Amino acid sequence: MKPKFSLLDIHVIDMDTIDISNLNRQFLFRQKDVGKPKATVAAEFIMNRVPGVKVTPYFGKIQDKGDDYYLQFHLIICGLDSVEARRWINATLVNLVDPENPESLKPLIDGGTEGFKGQARVILPTITSCYECSLDMLNKPTAFPICTIANTPRLPEHCIEWASVLEWPRVHGDKKMDTDDPEHIGWLYNTAAARAKEFKIEGVTWSLTQGVVKNIIPAIASTNAIIAASCCNEAFKIATSSAAYLNNYFMLIGTEGIYSYTFEHEKRNDCPVCGGEALDMTVNFDTTVEQLMEMLMDNQSIQIKKPSLSTPTRQLYLQGPPQVEEATRPNLEKKLSDLVPEDEEINVTSTTIPLRLTLRIHYA
Ligand SMILES: [Zn+2]
């Protein structure tokens, strides 16, 4: 089979500029590049290094580009740093698929890392499981119960949280904590270390203190390199048909030794992006529209930040435009069972991601 393209024509999108702290791991950048857009500098570096490759940079958001832009490529590789951005590109590429036009199906290769852990996956929009299908695999952001922090610390993190959440305001009153101020971090570190000693807990360090209070997971160059290599390998296989590509999820776990695992993540028929089937949901007769919205925001496999709800016959609550939001706002405190009959379907849309979820409501 002949290669799909003879000249390597790459477009790169990134909304960031280069910071001095990037230089330890982002090998395409040098000190002289600090302050410049990453996309532009990376494009120039690659064109100098690899003759015959054309790289076109765009300094901005992936959301700035529409369907026509994404339709011009053979495949898309993502190394995004947020769940929201991944959900957006995933839903955009699924919506792009036109069954009449095979060219509209754009394979998506997604890589991501978190400290010593990483993953790479190949998504064939509408065919294999998509990013939204696996949303429930994400870890919930860690939050420690305040009683554990206050009374029964077991982890170094508990001691650090105690220092920052309880001790800082007690000792410093209204003085705001600045997590970029080394003196403040130093105070937190010493306070947490003293508490850890009292409870015979090991592991409170300066960098963990900084990590907990700033909510940082360190970016590790070797993890990034392995995941980037895996993504490039998959792109090469898809572009050249030289070998079977990943089906469909590769995991790297480097926290204790090195372990990797490949499995086929299954498509969810009730996936709001690629599934098409309604999701059955059982609520109480007393559940209000607002409570249903909270359930949708909390649900690990849905996680829609600003849902708008409507049935085929009425608007339950729409986030916008302002007049419609105002007109539907009184519904928020009404009982769902007064507005939506049993078994009726509710369409849920999001303002940030192009998805459409159908709920079939049952009352208990
Ligand atoms: Zn899906």
Side-chain angles (χ1 to χ4, degrees), residues 172-204:
H172 295 95
D174 287 340
K175 189 169 146 193
K176 217 177 152 297
M177 185 170 39
D178 177 3
T179 54
D180 287 322
D181 184 335
E183 270 183 41
H184 290 193
I185 296 289
W187 185 90
L188 292 170
Y189 165 63
N190 289 326
T191 310
R195 180 157 172 96
K197 201 173 167 205
E198 187 187 330
F199 284 89
K200 298 189 173 53
I201 296 166
E202 282 176 23
V204 172

Side-chain angles (χ1 to χ4, degrees), residues 130 132-133 271 273-275:
C130 80
E132 199 77 19
C133 290
C271 170
V273 171
C274 74

Side-chain angles (χ1 to χ4, degrees), residues 108-184:
L108 169 64
I109 299 165
D110 177 50
T113 67
E114 200 179 79
F116 285 107
K117 292 187 231 166
Q119 96 280 329
R121 59 194 292 189
V122 172
I123 294 169
L124 299 182
T126 70
I127 296 175
T128 66
S129 123
C130 80
Y131 185 72
E132 199 77 19
C133 290
S134 63
L135 213 55
D136 57 353
M137 284 174 68
L138 294 174
N139 294 327
K140 268 211 157 180
T142 39
F144 303 111
I146 200 86
C147 53
T148 307
I149 295 168
N151 306 314
T152 52
R154 294 180 313 276
L155 299 172
E157 287 87 348
H158 294 155
C159 302
I160 297 164
E161 286 275 294
W162 176 81
S164 67
V165 177
L166 299 174
E167 279 300 275
W168 180 274
R170 193 182 68 78
V171 173
H172 295 95
D174 287 340
K175 189 169 146 193
K176 217 177 152 297
M177 185 170 39
D178 177 3
T179 54
D180 287 322
D181 184 335
E183 270 183 41
H184 290 193

